[in-house]
């Protein structure tokens, strides 16, 4: 049996019946890593072998990959940035602690865009990750390593983070399921911050059932994250029932515009027809402020990032670079040298953009304006959800693009986030799941969005669609 190609829920059955052991599963996954990791480059680093003692009685002794921005106590964690080289967090992120308590086998830390800035995993200090469906293409980003690892069966499931689409877009590009929970659903304690009003941690899995199970493990209130909300966590597997009859599903006309690849449009239109056939009521809706979402996001996100990255000064975390000569004062020279050598190009670009947007004289024109437009975008969704239960759109305007295709033009890279960032700006949950393949054999993603804390609605619609079509069963040959 190829244990590494199975889902977590299938493996859990085998574990319960004592047909396999956690060590068997771990060995199968490590074997696959030995076979394909050289080609894919999904990991920033692999984890030391776990202790299997007592694991058989834990609920989820399943291999998991963690994006390299989730703190693991005592293990180097760098956000794929040279500036954090050698940083060993003194504590576990809350999601990591919860996974460890469930018996998880941490297999490694997944590659990512530096500090999660990007949509292609090309800005990592470890070099790019390749898309397992076509090694000349990007896996998406910024959680591209996690998505590629799941697709290439180098892990059973993974955790990513999503500030503007970083779970959903790589999930779409790699043909897997990715969920960004509601802002406040999952604790970010121990997630290295990018933009604190947008960041969420979420599951990246082979199917919808696994996403429901993994979310259940990591969700819930945490006194260590003041933004985590104290609401009970439902048993999400109860929502996996193939029932969409009578549900109202909105299709926002602003999402079907020039720039949307015809093959993606076709697959998404066919997916909407499937939901209709299952009894969902399809409603044409408008989210009128959609055209402002990319600009608003890149003001708000860079402003917060420039502030969050202020702490990397060579004193408190990771790398310190001694200046070759004294130019101003030794400490200022050390800050400058460390930041100059430690941050990559995209991180520097974002620090400059964000600092500018926040600077005296420009604050009102950019940052404050951005916050106001963010409110308008959120209101579009509030209004839409008065008449519909869920909103269905493409996850990304295209399939995976070529490595190097967009690196010279940051704006074209930013525009690839057009369908995902509104969910972050409004705090709502959104899932991406496979809805077909292009002629070239590249996966296409379907995005479903719902009201705050209505993850159950996402699972209901996604599961009904998945079971009716079965795209998730296509196995990537690598
Ligand atoms: N691609 C977006 C960006 O570059 C989103 C990144 C993310 O969600 N972390 O900011």
């Amino acid at each position: 049996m190829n244990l590494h190609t199975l889902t977590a829920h299938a493996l859990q059955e085998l574990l319960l019946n004592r047909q396999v052991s956690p060590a068997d599963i771990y060995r199968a996954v490590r074997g696959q890593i030995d076979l394909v990791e050289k080609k894919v480059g999904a990991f920033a680093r692999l984890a030391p072998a776990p202790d299997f003692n007592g694991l058989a009685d834990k609920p989820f002794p399943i291999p998991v990959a963690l994006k390299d921005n989730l703190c693991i106590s005592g293990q180097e964690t760098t956000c794929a940035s040279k500036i954090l080289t050698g940083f060993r967090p003194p504590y576990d992120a809350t999601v990591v602690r919860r996974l460890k308590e469930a018996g998880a086998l941490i297999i490694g830390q997944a590659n990512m865009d530096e500090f999660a800035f990007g949509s292609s995993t090309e800005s990592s200090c470890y070099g790019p990750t390749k898309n397992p469906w076509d090694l000349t293409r990007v896996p998406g980003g910024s959680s591209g390593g996690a998505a590629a690892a799941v697709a290439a069966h180098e892990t059973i499931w993974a955790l990513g983070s999503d500030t503007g689409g970083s779970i959903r877009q790589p999930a779409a590009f790699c043909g897997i399921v990715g969920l960004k929970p509601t802002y406040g659903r999952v604790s970010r304690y121990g997630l290295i911050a990018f933009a604190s009003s947008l960041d969420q941690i979420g599951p990246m899995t082979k199917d919808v059932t696994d996403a429901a199970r993994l979310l259940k493990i990591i969700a819930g209130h945490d006194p260590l994250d003041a933004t985590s909300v104290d609401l009970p966590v439902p048993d999400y597997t109860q929502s996996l029932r193939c029932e969409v009859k009578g549900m109202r599903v909105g299709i926002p006309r602003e999402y079907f515009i020039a720039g949307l690849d015809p093959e993606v449009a076709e697959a998404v239109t066919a997916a909407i027809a499937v939901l209709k056939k299952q009894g969902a009521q399809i409603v044409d809706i408008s989210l009128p402020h959609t055209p402002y979402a990319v600009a608003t996001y890149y003001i708000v996100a860079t402003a917060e990032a420039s502030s969050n990255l202020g702490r990397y000064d060579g004193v408190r975390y990771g790398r310190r670079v001694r200046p070759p000569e004294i130019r101003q004062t030794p400490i200022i020279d050390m800050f400058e040298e460390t930041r100059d050598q430690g941050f990559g190009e995209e991180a520097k670009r974002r620090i400059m953009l964000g600092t500018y947007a926040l600077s005296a004289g420009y604050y009102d024109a950019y940052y404050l304006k951005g916050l106001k437009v963010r409110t308008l975008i959120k209101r579009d969704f509030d209004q839409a959800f008065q008449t519909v239960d869920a909103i269905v759109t493409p996850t990304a305007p295209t399939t995976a693009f070529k490595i190097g295709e967009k690196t010279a033009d940051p704006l074209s890279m930013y525009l690839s986030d057009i369908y995902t960032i509104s969910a972050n700006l409004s705090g709502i949950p959104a899932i991406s799941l496979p809805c077909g393949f292009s002629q070239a054999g590249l996966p296409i993603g379907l995005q479903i969005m719902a009201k705050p804390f209505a993850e159950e609605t996402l699972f209901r619609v996604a599961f009904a669609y998945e079971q009716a079509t079965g795209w998730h069963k296509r196995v990537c040959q690598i």
Side-chain angles (χ1 to χ4, degrees):
M1 207 178 334
N2 287 329
L3 293 178
H4 57 282
T5 63
L6 301 183
T7 58
H9 62 91
L11 290 166
Q12 213 190 9
E13 287 279 305
L14 297 175
L15 286 163
L16 278 175
N17 299 330
R18 308 269 166 192
Q19 285 166 282
V20 299
S21 70
D24 296 334
I25 304 172
Y26 183 81
R27 269 196 299 272
V29 169
R30 283 303 294 241
Q32 175 72 354
I33 290 176
D34 290 344
L35 276 181
V36 305
E37 175 59 8
K38 269 210 173 64
K39 288 192 253 178
V40 181
F43 289 98
R45 72 196 68 76
L46 295 170
D51 178 2
F52 295 103
N53 275 333
L55 276 186
D57 301 321
K58 299 275 189 174
F60 286 98
I62 302 283
V64 64
L66 300 170
K67 188 174 181 178
D68 194 28
N69 57 0
L70 294 167
C71 289
I72 309 179
S73 180
Q75 301 290 329
E76 190 182 21
T77 305
T78 70
C79 269
S81 178
K82 280 194 285 191
I83 207 157
L84 279 175
T85 307
F87 170 58
R88 288 174 192 274
Y91 59 88
D92 280 330
T94 295
V95 292
V96 174
R97 179 176 56 75
R98 289 190 175 160
L99 277 169
K100 284 182 175 173
E101 285 164 5
L105 308 168
I106 297 173
I107 200 99
Q109 289 155 289
N111 200 16
M112 57 185 282
D113 280 297
E114 183 181 8
F115 283 106
F117 301 153
S119 314
S120 67
T121 316
E122 290 169 292
S123 70
S124 163
C125 72
Y126 305 113
T129 297
K130 321 278 173 19
N131 190 314
W133 295 89
D134 176 348
L135 297 169
T136 67
R137 292 178 186 270
V138 302
S142 64
S143 314
V150 174
H153 304 287
E154 296 183 77
T155 182
I156 302 301
W157 56 15
L159 287 186
S161 68
D162 191 313
T163 306
S166 277
I167 288 175
R168 291 160 286 155
Q169 183 256 23
F173 280 14
C174 291
I176 66 161
V177 175
L179 168 70
K180 181 202 88 75
T182 308
Y183 187 77
R185 181 74 287 187
V186 176
S187 165
R188 288 102 38 88
Y189 179 70
L191 165 71
I192 299 176
F194 164 1
S196 308
S197 78
L198 301 162
D199 299 339
Q200 262 295 290
I201 300 167
M204 304 181 75
T205 59
K206 294 179 190 176
D207 69 4
V208 175
T209 305
D210 273 6
R213 296 201 184 194
L214 189 46
L215 181 62
K216 174 79 181 166
I217 300 174
I218 61 170
H221 180 239
D222 176 14
L224 297 172
D225 175 359
T227 66
S228 83
V229 174
D230 196 358
L231 277 176
V233 181
D235 177 1
Y236 294 114
T237 55
Q238 295 294 317
S239 315
L240 308 174
R241 281 183 321 222
C242 290
E243 272 175 25
V244 290
K245 208 169 163 69
M247 274 181 105
R248 293 173 63 88
V249 172
I251 314 298
R253 63 184 81 107
E254 291 81 4
Y255 281 57
F256 294 82
I257 43 162
L260 173 59
D261 180 325
E263 284 189 285
V264 176
E266 201 182 308
V268 172
T269 309
I272 294 166
V274 169
L275 293 173
K276 188 169 177 187
K277 205 163 152 230
Q278 291 178 304
Q281 197 180 333
I282 306 300
V283 187
D284 176 37
I285 60 163
S286 173
L287 299 168
H289 294 92
T290 301
Y292 307 105
V294 173
T296 304
Y297 170 83
Y298 276 94
I299 297 283
V300 173
T302 57
E304 293 185 24
S306 69
S307 163
N308 273 325
L309 266 53
R311 71 191 66 169
Y312 305 114
D313 53 10
V315 176
R316 288 167 293 178
Y317 307 91
R319 190 156 178 242
R320 173 180 303 176
V321 186
R322 288 192 189 287
E325 73 214 341
I326 303 302
R327 296 183 294 257
Q328 302 159 69
T329 64
I331 183 92
I332 302 277
D333 293 338
M334 189 278 284
F335 290 160
E336 280 189 5
E337 202 67 25
T338 299
R339 289 172 69 86
D340 185 34
Q341 292 195 31
F343 289 128
E345 227 175 82
E346 183 61 24
K348 285 178 185 162
R349 182 178 295 123
R350 301 227 178 178
I351 291 169
M352 286 191 284
L353 283 170
T355 306
Y356 185 78
L358 288 174
S359 57
Y362 296 102
Y363 180 93
D364 289 3
Y366 295 109
Y367 185 65
L368 197 62
K369 182 69 104 354
L371 291 186
K372 289 178 181 170
V373 182
R374 178 178 186 174
T375 302
L376 296 176
I377 291 169
K378 184 175 178 310
R379 283 192 194 147
D380 283 356
F381 283 96
D382 291 345
Q383 202 150 30
F385 286 125
Q386 287 185 356
T387 54
V388 298
D389 303 297
I391 295 175
V392 167
T393 73
T395 305
T398 64
T399 51
F401 45 87
K402 290 267 185 195
I403 292 171
E405 190 180 319
K406 292 187 198 278
T407 37
D409 180 4
L411 194 57
S412 76
M413 188 78 87
Y414 298 171
L415 285 170
S416 67
D417 303 329
I418 185 153
Y419 297 139
T420 46
I421 52 190
S422 294
N424 303 78
L425 289 170
S426 13
I428 61 173
I431 193 169
S432 176
L433 75 162
C435 72
F437 288 81
S438 68
Q439 291 285 328
L442 297 170
I444 299 172
L446 181 73
Q447 177 173 241
I448 308 167
M449 299 184 265
K451 278 183 209 158
F453 299 100
E455 280 82 3
E456 288 163 292
T457 306
L458 297 184
F459 288 129
R460 242 175 95 179
V461 181
F463 187 70
Y465 174 76
E466 178 189 78
Q467 296 304 305
T469 53
W471 295 111
H472 63 295
K473 291 199 187 123
R474 198 179 286 197
V475 175
C476 173
Q477 301 299 338
I478 172 160

